[in-house]
Amino acid sequence: MAKKFLAGTAIVFLFQAHAALAQEAKRAPADPAAAQTASEGDIIVTAQKREQNILQVPVAVSVINPDTIKAAQVTDFSDVTRVSPSLTISEGGTSASAVVSLRGIGTSSFSTSAEPAVSIIVDDIALLQQGQAFGKLNDIARIEVLRGPQGSLFGKNASAGVINIVTNNPSRDLSGYVEGTLTDDDEAKVIAMLSGPLGADAGFRINAFYADRKGYINNLTNNTRLNGEESYGVRGKFTFSSGPVNVALTADYSKTRSNGNATTYAVLAPTTRQNGAPIDLTGINVGIGNNAVRFNVDNVGNSDQLLLAAKIDIDVGFATLTSTSSYQDWKLDTLTDNDFSPANTINQGGPYRTKQFTQELRLTSPSSGKFNYLVGLYYADGSTDRTFTRTVPGFLAFLRQNWDSTASTKTYAAFAQLGYDFSPSTTLTLGGRVNHEKVGVFFSDNRFAPPVVYRGSASDTAVTGKASLQQFLAKNLTVYASIATGYKGQAYDISSGFNQSRIDNLVKPEHSVAYEVGMKGRFWDNKGFFSLTGFWTDYNNFQSQSAEFIAGAPQFVLRNVGRLRTKGIEFEGSVRPVEGLSLFGSAAYIDAKIRSFPGAACFPNQTVAQGCTALAGTTTLVQNLAGADLANSPKFKFNLGGLFEKPIGGTPMSAFLTANYTWQDKVNFSLDTNPATVQAAYGIANLSVGLRQTERRNWEVSLFVNNLFDKAYAASLIDFTGNGYSSTAIIQQVPRNFRRYIGVRLHWGFGGR
């Protein structure tokens, strides 16, 4: 009740503040970071750390605007994959174990020392751990998805790409809204926003949310519902402009109380026994879409996050000097029933805490003229603490774990990007980054008295670069070609079984080289836009995790895969063919394969005929994965959607309809090519209809349906055969929209959006 009271108080405060602020509602100056359009239909992005028309950016970048977000029912971070075909997200037992991939490339790791291959940035601030991003998305201006290595401008954890989330800035006039949502799968959510000027030189924006969603997995042991959550958050922005100085301050806090991301049985061979005991399947329909379990404890996945940021722009005449400072603090507490039974057999989990301070300075020249530049310095100091315990009965004592660890990282970097116009239609862009990092590890194995402690540190320096040549064939049609190198830093494999050998043989840095050609254009009097991209990227020492049995116990091991390659074609487009109708679509064909991985672990029950053989002179079973597809990388994926709006004659109202359909090819969730962990191809449709105010759109009511055709699918599949099971046992993560659900959304505001 206290959490509901606090969230409700914040929302009420926003609207009570309206009366006090309305008296001084003057037009506030435009925030320098706010997107501005040169003409109707132009798309403005910050993909190169400066505001540019998307046609001037020689980068494969998707821009997901609020209309697309609404049509696809994108409310959580994990939903972004619906509208970006090159993006996939593999869900795990907690947000910390989820994997974000672009073009088939991501980082799956239990270790807190391994940084992501896809950098997630919120309002110019890079998050240290990907798990920090999973949560509600609200008050979003746009989401930019940059594919391919982006290390020159965004650093060492952008070797596969960047997801850049941009939230709305203060409005020029006093405005606000409140929005409520109710669904038939028991979610209640309210969002509120208040924004406007503070005198002639300053502005503010405050938004808050509260959401309560009951779980959709039935725990038959405790008669509870798992995979639900209660969350709330508040974000505040303050901007100030005086002469050559512009200041933007942001504070963002959110809290989630969740009973985890419970798994269920997808496949279970008849008469399978677990730890020698029969499995009670009463009330459980094993298969894809199974939403019933028998756990002795409810899972836990609670998180708290604070993000503080300060951005200062100073016009120094010949250029703009920008300082961006940030502090982030993320806490996550987890508990999972790892034996999936009502017996008190194997429970595991523990708390995380991630903290990071960053400081970036950059000097950006004006975009006008034949020559432009951006140069900068970057510093980051971060650490992630984790405690992990696994409780087991005496006969499974060899599985018991009790350790705590700290992964530290400190980064110094200098970067630059230079552009030169050979002619008004031809531009050469060169970029580079020198990155020096130091990583450290502390690991205490608390199963012993006194604890066995390990410490280590290592440093590395790397240079990445990018070169692109862009040619405008016409005013609104451009082609480009680029080559870029990527780098992801070395890491310690911080997980159960940690020892001195892992300090002495830390996981090597990951390197890549990417080739890309593209074409972008606007047509039909700026009513249409398209982008077509072809790419080819080679990775060396790719970092990946696999589940292996060591001394009879299952352990996650982080190691270097020899080499891999991802190549393909991407398309996206949008068009407004008639007044009130907007259509959008995108598609990607991606061939992501391992080129060399001779000592990979075998999957459970893999035979010699299937390629599993003993390593020479040992009893260790391995396979050669050369030629295998990467995990959770569909060959083909597309999405189609649109918005149609029609005024109702003689009234101030308009009727509208939004729709989105996403389809993806089959995928294997296991790096080891296990045929038992393949998710068949599927498509998901979302639809909404409603009424809204025609002119200022200050009110709206809509009815929406997610997963219109009630298509069941799994978000991940894991083979637990041999892990206490006498025969085949496949465990699945069931997503929230594994079945159809319906909801209603009400929106009321003032001052326009």
Side-chain angles (χ1 to χ4, degrees), residues 168 232 273 308 460 603 611:
N168 285 309
Y232 64 87
R273 299 176 73 85
L308 304 174
D460 189 31
F603 56 80

Side-chain angles (χ1 to χ4, degrees), residues 401-738:
Q401 294 292 334
N402 182 3
W403 51 263
D404 61 82
S405 67
T406 299
S408 61
T409 176
K410 189 172 290 188
T411 301
Y412 306 86
F415 59 93
Q417 181 161 292
L418 313 175
Y420 180 74
D421 295 338
F422 289 107
S423 72
S425 60
T426 308
T427 301
L428 174 68
T429 303
L430 301 174
R433 190 182 192 98
V434 178
N435 190 94
H436 177 77
E437 71 165 343
K438 181 178 180 180
V439 295
V441 61
F442 164 85
F443 188 95
S444 176
D445 191 335
N446 301 322
R447 294 176 298 174
F448 308 99
V452 179
V453 174
Y454 301 95
R455 289 184 174 87
S457 64
S459 60
D460 189 31
T461 301
V463 177
T464 55
K466 183 173 185 176
S468 66
L469 184 63
Q470 183 176 24
Q471 176 70 43
F472 272 85
L473 305 179
K475 178 183 178 181
N476 288 323
L477 180 63
T478 182
V479 294
Y480 72 91
S482 69
I483 180 173
T485 58
Y487 165 84
K488 186 157 76 74
Q490 58 196 345
Y492 291 103
D493 185 9
I494 303 176
S495 59
S496 299
F498 191 90
N499 54 29
Q500 186 62 40
S501 177
R502 295 195 189 183
I503 294 177
D504 298 335
N505 300 281
L506 75 168
V507 181
K508 298 176 183 177
E510 179 181 299
H511 294 272
S512 59
V513 56
Y515 309 90
E516 190 170 285
V517 293
M519 175 182 288
K520 303 178 186 181
R522 300 206 64 87
F523 58 92
W524 204 354
D525 294 329
N526 256 7
K527 294 178 181 178
F529 169 80
F530 79 93
S531 174
L532 183 65
T533 306
F535 65 91
W536 178 302
T537 308
D538 287 327
Y539 285 81
N540 190 34
N541 282 329
F542 178 70
Q543 298 173 0
S544 187
Q545 175 182 274
S546 61
E548 302 179 12
F549 286 86
I550 300 175
Q555 293 184 12
F556 290 106
V557 177
L558 180 67
R559 61 177 66 214
N560 292 107
V561 174
R563 292 176 294 151
L564 58 86
R565 173 175 293 162
T566 175
K567 57 185 178 181
I569 299 173
E570 300 162 324
F571 170 82
E572 57 191 342
S574 61
V575 65
R576 293 177 288 118
V578 296
E579 183 70 24
L581 177 62
S582 298
L583 302 174
F584 62 86
S586 55
Y589 174 82
I590 297 173
D591 184 19
K593 290 188 178 296
I594 298 172
R595 298 182 64 203
S596 174
F597 192 6
C602 298
F603 56 80
N605 296 329
Q606 186 175 0
T607 65
V608 173
Q610 292 173 311
C612 182
T613 59
L615 200 61
T618 72
T619 59
T620 303
L621 298 177
V622 297
Q623 62 172 321
N624 190 339
L625 287 179
D629 292 332
L630 283 182
N632 196 22
S633 180
K635 281 280 177 57
F636 184 59
K637 183 179 175 184
F638 71 86
N639 82 285
L640 298 170
L643 165 66
F644 178 70
E645 183 173 350
K646 181 71 173 178
I648 300 174
T651 75
M653 299 184 300
S654 293
F656 68 89
L657 180 147
T658 67
N660 185 79
Y661 180 76
T662 300
W663 184 92
Q664 73 166 49
D665 206 349
K666 68 178 182 180
V667 294
N668 193 327
F669 289 110
S670 300
L671 181 68
D672 57 22
T673 69
N674 189 337
T677 56
V678 174
Q679 165 64 57
Y682 65 91
I684 301 294
N686 300 317
L687 181 72
S688 70
V689 294
L691 298 172
R692 63 164 62 112
Q693 185 185 33
T694 302
E695 292 296 326
R696 299 183 67 84
R697 297 191 177 187
N698 275 332
W699 64 264
E700 178 181 305
V701 56
S702 62
L703 178 72
F704 63 87
V705 183
N706 271 27
N707 196 351
L708 178 64
F709 302 117
D710 206 22
K711 177 63 178 178
Y713 67 101
S716 71
L717 293 166
I718 306 172
D719 193 343
F720 266 72
T721 305
N723 185 16
Y725 290 89
S726 62
S727 189
T728 303
I730 308 299
I731 310 300
Q732 65 181 329
Q733 296 283 351
V734 179
R736 178 196 177 181
N737 68 335
F738 78 103

